[in-house]
Amino acid sequence: MRAAAPTLTQRPPRAADDDKPRRGGAGGPGTAIITKTRTQTKKPSLYRVLLLNDDYTPMEFVVHILERFFNKDRETASRIMMHVHQNGVGECGVFTYEVAETKVTQVMDFARKHQHPLQCVMEKK
């Protein structure tokens, strides 16, 4: 008598070792490990742009600088200017290094052009 052929629901028995290559077992034929390297981007350092008080630069000129170079509205610019006047130093904004450096240069050039001794500096936050 002839043995019946296995159907889709019946599987022929197999040894436990036959499963390893199919499941990706270590050391089996055709096994490969693919690694993907992810680079972590670091956030740029931030710098505070500061105005320093002096006894010669007009207050209205400082307000104008804050409006023009730091996009402050009149009220905010006046408040920062008064803070600089009363405390000797005030923060205009926080930027990346390149932006802060550019703002300091713009303010210093503009102040010199108008013959004011205003000082603008940047410091790491």
Side-chain angles (χ1 to χ4, degrees):
M1 190 167 184
R2 219 169 120 186
T7 63
L8 291 178
T9 56
Q10 297 175 334
R11 286 192 176 153
R14 62 181 160 185
D17 289 337
D18 284 349
D19 259 359
K20 282 186 181 176
R22 291 187 186 137
R23 292 186 185 163
T31 301
I33 297 174
I34 299 173
T35 59
K36 188 174 183 180
T37 304
R38 288 189 181 178
T39 55
Q40 286 287 75
T41 54
K42 196 169 96 173
K43 290 186 178 181
S45 298
L46 296 177
Y47 291 80
R48 297 170 59 205
V49 176
L50 307 170
L51 283 178
L52 307 179
N53 189 43
D54 65 72
D55 294 332
Y56 303 101
T57 305
M59 292 179 176
E60 192 56 38
F61 185 76
V62 175
V63 170
H64 178 68
I65 281 181
L66 290 164
E67 290 173 333
R68 179 173 177 167
F69 297 109
F70 298 97
N71 298 320
K72 304 293 183 187
D73 59 69
R74 178 66 108 191
E75 183 182 329
T76 304
S78 297
R79 190 172 63 250
I80 293 171
M81 177 273 301
M82 283 307 294
H83 183 82
V84 171
H85 180 68
Q86 293 169 348
N87 299 301
V89 65
E91 183 180 292
C92 304
V94 178
F95 309 96
T96 60
Y97 179 82
E98 291 80 12
V99 174
E101 186 178 42
T102 301
K103 299 248 184 223
V104 168
T105 302
Q106 288 175 330
V107 169
M108 295 294 287
D109 290 347
F110 192 72
R112 296 298 158 265
K113 181 180 173 187
H114 290 86
Q115 299 178 349
H116 294 299
L118 182 66
Q119 293 292 306
C120 185
V121 296
M122 59 189 256
E123 70 177 25
K124 194 168 186 176
K125 188 169 182 185

